[in-house]
Amino acid sequence: MDVQRLADRTSEHDSRFDSHTSRLTALEAFQGTLPNLALQTGKLAVSFSNVSTYTRVITFPRAFTIAPNVFCSLESGAGTTARWGVRPFNITTTGFTLFCYPNDAGSAQTWSNIPVSWLAITLG
């Protein structure tokens, strides 16, 4: 089955979207149909006070067999948070370091429970 047809399937046609798996993302639910795909997702609330950069070590719930590609997303664009970015570095099979940084260097800020999501994926 091609990926587009998988993406077009709705939750009522796929038994993997029952109440027991409601926490799975659509990609995680389709993982079983793509045998070489390994992925994990996460979301965390980031808080810090009066800093110009911030790092936090993230550990994957399950280790990958090879280091995955990791993508991070800042889920708030309100106020001065809109001038900040997030990215992963030091990616290993067991985790990565989340790096939060201002787009205007030297800009100190305080965050309180700002949501950041991540996706880690391998095709090997």
Side-chain angles (χ1 to χ4, degrees), residues 30-118:
F30 293 129
Q31 184 173 0
T33 62
L34 301 171
N36 294 327
L37 176 69
L39 67 90
Q40 298 178 48
T41 62
K43 184 175 183 176
L44 58 144
V46 176
S47 298
F48 53 78
S49 295
N50 199 31
V51 297
S52 58
T53 63
Y54 173 81
T55 60
R56 182 167 170 180
V57 175
I58 306 298
T59 302
F60 299 130
R62 297 170 309 282
F64 286 89
T65 56
I66 61 174
N69 291 308
V70 178
F71 305 91
C72 297
S73 176
L74 179 60
E75 294 188 15
S76 174
T80 56
T81 305
R83 294 191 305 262
W84 280 59
V86 294
R87 68 181 175 96
F89 71 98
N90 291 338
I91 301 167
T92 69
T93 59
T94 59
F96 66 96
T97 301
L98 174 70
F99 178 56
C100 303
Y101 60 94
N103 291 319
D104 50 344
S107 174
Q109 185 164 355
T110 297
W111 285 13
S112 179
N113 295 317
I114 301 298
V116 175
S117 293
W118 57 265

Side-chain angles (χ1 to χ4, degrees), residues 12-26:
E12 58 262 16
H13 294 106
D14 193 327
S15 62
R16 285 174 280 195
F17 282 99
D18 61 19
S19 62
H20 300 292
T21 59
S22 61
R23 294 183 315 175
L24 293 179
T25 65

